[in-house]
Amino acid sequence: NAGVTQTPKFQVLKTGQSMTLQCAQDMNHEYMSWYRQDPGMGLRLIHYSVGAGITDQGEVPNGYNVSRSTTEDFPLRLLSAAPSQTSVYFCASKTQGWTGELFFGEGSRLTVL
Amino acid sequence: KNEVEQSPQNLTAQEGEFITINCSYSVGISALHWLQQHPGGGIVSLFMLSSGKKKHGRLIATINIQEKHSSLHITASHPRDSAVYICAVRSYNTDKLIFGTGTRLQVFP
């Protein structure tokens, strides 16, 4: 049972480059989300999705795009990376409703030079 | 002031000690989560609470909805408990998760 799988685990980009962080879950969860974790701050929500074809912005969406074409996959795209996007990124999923337990991926450490 | 405050920020203990980590919040919530993050590792859900108390092995989580406060207790602490413990609340109004900044625990043998 893989749970939530994130790739890549590490990535170094130059300013202006684009990349996609991949997230896949095999638990048939409707809800998927992306967070960034920065030193001294709590996890902050970037984008989330409550089902295939439905996405919405979180707290810090600028500079990031998402899509949800299937229940399993929720990729996060950086179209033009900036040094301010240097962070650790976590994908998480849960069943719908407030009772769902959260499942996190192992994180992706991104450095933008 | 953050909507979710954890204390202490850092905690060191000797193996075997009883540990308490506190979480206070200022918003109405539908649930509260306790999460564990090992150094360089992913994040694991420990508990989800909406009332009362839950226990898994040596871990106990309590919540007082009226006082907007939750505690995570670790009995007979062990060096493998060394991690960052994160409190997160699900806002009743927005249904969004709000995270605390975490408590870094180090348990020495």
Side-chain angles (χ1 to χ4, degrees), chain A residues 28-89:
Chain A
N28 202 32
H29 285 169
E30 302 95 334
Y31 182 92
M32 296 185 74
S33 53
W34 277 102
Y35 296 91
R36 59 178 290 171
Q37 185 178 44
D38 300 294
M41 304 182 76
L43 287 155
R44 292 183 293 168
L45 181 65
I46 304 170
H47 284 285
Y48 67 100
S49 167
V50 297
I54 306 169
T55 64
D56 205 349
Q57 296 182 348
E59 187 183 349
V60 287
N62 292 341
Y64 307 95
N65 280 351
V66 291
S67 59
R68 184 92 180 270
S69 56
T70 67
T71 299
E72 294 78 21
D73 299 297
F74 190 46
L76 179 72
R77 295 184 187 86
L78 286 72
L79 297 179
S80 180
S84 61
Q85 293 177 304
T86 294
S87 187
V88 180
Y89 292 85

Side-chain angles (χ1 to χ4, degrees), chain A residues 98, chain B residues 3-4 25-33 88-99:
Chain A
W98 63 267
Chain B
E3 292 169 304
V4 179
Y25 52 91
S26 58
V27 297
I29 70 168
S30 54
L32 182 143
H33 297 259
V89 301
R90 182 166 296 283
S91 165
Y92 184 83
N93 287 336
T94 66
D95 203 36
K96 299 276 177 31
L97 278 173
I98 307 167
F99 291 82

Side-chain angles (χ1 to χ4, degrees), chain B residues 39-108:
Chain B
I43 299 172
V44 175
S45 176
L46 296 175
F47 294 102
M48 189 188 66
L49 295 162
S50 56
S51 65
K53 177 179 173 178
K54 285 190 176 180
K55 184 175 188 290
H56 288 155
R58 295 180 295 106
L59 301 179
I60 303 166
T62 65
I63 187 168
N64 185 317
I65 297 294
Q66 287 73 28
E67 294 187 4
K68 295 189 173 178
H69 181 268
S70 175
S71 293
L72 176 67
H73 305 286
I74 304 174
T75 60
S77 59
H78 190 277
R80 65 174 174 266
D81 296 326
S82 298
V84 175
Y85 292 84
I86 301 169
C87 171
V89 301
R90 182 166 296 283
S91 165
Y92 184 83
N93 287 336
T94 66
D95 203 36
K96 299 276 177 31
L97 278 173
I98 307 167
F99 291 82
T101 54
T103 294
R104 185 175 300 276
L105 170 65
Q106 289 184 292
V107 181
F108 294 99

Side-chain angles (χ1 to χ4, degrees), chain A residues 12 25 89-90 101 109:
Chain A
V12 178
Q25 52 90 12
Y89 292 85
F90 287 94
E101 180 186 351
R109 184 175 294 275

